[in-house]
């Protein structure tokens, strides 16, 4: 696939409300009143806050509700300005551009689900929980955070699913007991699926705990690059753009995205860290050196696509569907 076309939406901030300490919810409507694009649990939206600030936020509303899109945003004290803009500058009635929805964290079929959330990582899991609960599937959620006051959607979860949700604030119980939370692995990924989202230490711990689980059973979504994701050699290589036949050289200190954009070919991008999937591009020939924090091991092995904002090449030339 190419990534030069995608839904671009003009949205009005209809409602902004505080959900927890440092967390606000945004309810967004179409500026012209048209129906909004369909989406499935796990999807996220790019919000173009300014020309320099494009940030990704997981959709946490009801996929059946096509008149609004809802996200929740944590104020990141050491962030790059996006969450501060949402909290301090964005006002009800403001119009923002959005791209998507896009989904790299889709809900796979399974007999049983274990959801593990850390802080704002609860947001993409909420629609998943509602879907599996409505389907009558077996599931449980373990939800950790710094304090109860910092954990969004507590009332909603405890009221709707009191027997399925374990709330574990760190100041009350310490770190999550992952062996207890996860339980025993099934023999196949279709028997038990684990969905986890939250800060990197939690994701790394869950990945370690699930190392003995069947391949494909664990699904994670990251808000920041995985530690060491961009490690490796940085030799120059060539990129051929299939649409024009142009051949470009990517030097050691530049990315494929930078070189392609410099050549005048438009490519959608957002995080430029290999976490959002906006710049995912089809690979027609060659072997990518995957340095993203998004693709699964199976997707990497297939070498069908790559995130051109960070990934490089194991071969002398890549042919891209651009």
């Amino acid at each position: 696939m190419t990534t030069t076309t995608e839904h671009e939406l003009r949205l009005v901030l209809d409602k902004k409300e505080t959900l927890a300490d440092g967390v606000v919810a945004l309810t967004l409507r179409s500026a012209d009143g048209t129906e909004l694009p369909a989406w499935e649990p796990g999807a996220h939206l790019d919000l173009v806050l300014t020309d320099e600030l494009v940030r990704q936020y997981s959709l946490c509303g009801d996929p059946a509700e096509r008149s609004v899109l809802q996200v929740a945003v944590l104020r990141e004290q050491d962030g790059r300005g996006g969450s501060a803009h949402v909290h301090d500058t964005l006002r009800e009635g403001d119009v923002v551009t959005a791209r998507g929805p896009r989904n790299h964290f889709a809900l796979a079929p399974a007999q049983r689900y274990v959801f593990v959330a850390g802080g704002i990582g609860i947001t993409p899991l909420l629609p998943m929980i509602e879907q599996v609960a409505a389907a009558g599937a077996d599931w449980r959620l373990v939800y950790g955070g710094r304090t109860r006051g910092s954990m969004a959607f507590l009332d909603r979860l405890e009221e709707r699913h009191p027997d399925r949700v374990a709330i574990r604030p760190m100041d009350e119980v310490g770190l999550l007991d992952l062996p207890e939370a996860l339980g025993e692995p099934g023999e196949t990924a279709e028997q038990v699926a684990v969905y986890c989202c939250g800060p990197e230490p939690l994701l790394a711990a869950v990945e370690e705990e699930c190392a003995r689980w069947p391949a494909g059973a664990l699904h994670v979504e990251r808000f920041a690059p995985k530690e060491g994701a961009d490690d490796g050699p940085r030799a120059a290589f060539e990129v051929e753009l299939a649409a024009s036949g142009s051949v470009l050289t990517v030097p050691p200190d530049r990315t494929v995205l930078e070189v392609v954009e410099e050549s005048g070919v438009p490519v959608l991008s957002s995080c430029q860290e290999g976490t959002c999937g906006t710049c995912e591009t089809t690979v027609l020939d060659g072997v990518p050196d995957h340095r993203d924090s998004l693709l699964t091991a199976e997707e990497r092995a297939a070498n069908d696509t790559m995130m051109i904002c960070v990934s490089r090449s194991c071969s002398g030339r890549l042919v891209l569907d651009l």
Side-chain angles (χ1 to χ4, degrees):
M1 74 175 187
T2 58
T3 57
T4 53
T5 60
E6 188 176 35
H7 289 296
E8 186 161 293
L9 313 169
R10 291 184 70 252
L11 303 175
V12 175
L13 178 54
D14 189 57
K15 186 177 182 181
K16 179 180 179 180
E17 58 184 325
T18 299
L19 293 180
D21 296 342
V23 181
V24 295
L26 309 180
T27 300
L28 302 148
R29 294 185 179 274
S30 172
D32 59 8
T34 56
E35 188 175 64
L36 294 168
W39 60 278
E40 295 182 351
H44 69 261
L45 197 70
D46 288 354
L47 290 187
V48 184
L49 302 171
T50 69
D51 290 343
E52 292 77 32
L53 289 176
V54 182
R55 297 292 184 266
Q56 300 76 45
Y57 300 111
S58 299
L59 291 169
C60 57
D62 180 359
E65 176 56 79
R66 299 288 295 277
S67 63
V68 298
L69 294 170
Q70 295 174 312
V71 300
V73 182
L74 169 69
R75 179 190 285 276
E76 298 281 0
Q77 297 301 332
D78 299 318
R80 296 176 295 156
S83 66
H85 182 92
V86 169
H87 279 255
D88 299 337
T89 305
L90 206 58
R91 298 285 182 265
E92 292 180 358
D94 286 353
V95 177
V96 296
T97 298
R99 301 187 191 122
R102 188 182 308 110
N103 199 341
H104 288 276
F105 194 45
L107 188 64
Q111 297 173 20
R112 179 166 65 91
Y113 295 89
V114 180
F115 299 103
V116 182
I120 198 64
I122 188 63
T123 52
L125 303 184
L126 287 173
M128 295 184 182
I129 288 168
E130 298 303 335
Q131 180 170 309
V132 300
D138 184 12
W139 67 275
R140 69 188 302 255
L141 165 69
V142 179
Y143 180 13
R146 291 179 290 104
T147 65
R148 284 182 180 269
S150 71
M151 298 167 68
F153 303 107
L154 282 189
D155 291 345
R156 167 176 162 182
L157 288 164
E158 292 181 316
E159 288 173 7
R160 295 185 185 183
H161 313 290
D163 299 329
R164 303 263 183 182
V165 176
I167 304 300
R168 297 288 186 265
M170 187 181 299
D171 66 336
E172 296 178 20
V173 300
L175 296 175
L176 294 180
D177 183 345
L178 291 179
E180 188 276 333
L182 294 168
E184 290 299 314
E187 295 181 2
T188 67
E190 289 73 26
Q191 289 180 319
V192 186
V194 177
Y195 279 80
C196 180
C197 187
E200 182 58 32
L202 173 63
L203 299 180
V206 171
E207 287 178 329
E208 182 177 355
E209 187 66 29
C210 288
R212 62 191 177 93
W213 286 50
L218 175 61
H219 308 260
V220 301
E221 181 167 63
R222 285 180 156 83
F223 297 136
K226 188 175 182 177
E227 186 176 352
D230 196 27
D231 291 348
R234 305 194 69 84
F237 59 95
E238 293 181 337
V239 169
E240 180 179 337
L241 309 184
S244 64
S246 299
V247 177
L248 310 173
T249 297
V250 181
D253 60 342
R254 307 296 301 282
T255 67
V256 176
L257 175 65
E258 290 171 335
V259 171
V260 170
E261 287 185 326
E262 241 179 39
S263 76
V265 176
V267 182
L268 288 178
S269 65
S270 183
C271 72
Q272 300 190 19
E273 294 181 325
T275 60
C276 74
T278 308
C279 70
E280 184 174 10
T281 302
T282 295
V283 178
L284 301 177
D285 195 20
V287 181
D289 177 5
H290 297 289
R291 301 190 182 189
D292 63 276
S293 301
L294 191 62
L295 294 176
T296 65
E298 293 78 11
E299 289 169 335
R300 289 183 172 213
N303 286 324
D304 294 331
T305 68
M306 65 183 290
M307 307 304 162
I308 63 173
C309 65
V310 290
S311 295
R312 302 188 68 79
S313 182
C314 295
S315 53
R317 179 181 291 191
L318 294 172
V319 181
L320 302 180
D321 188 14
L322 289 172

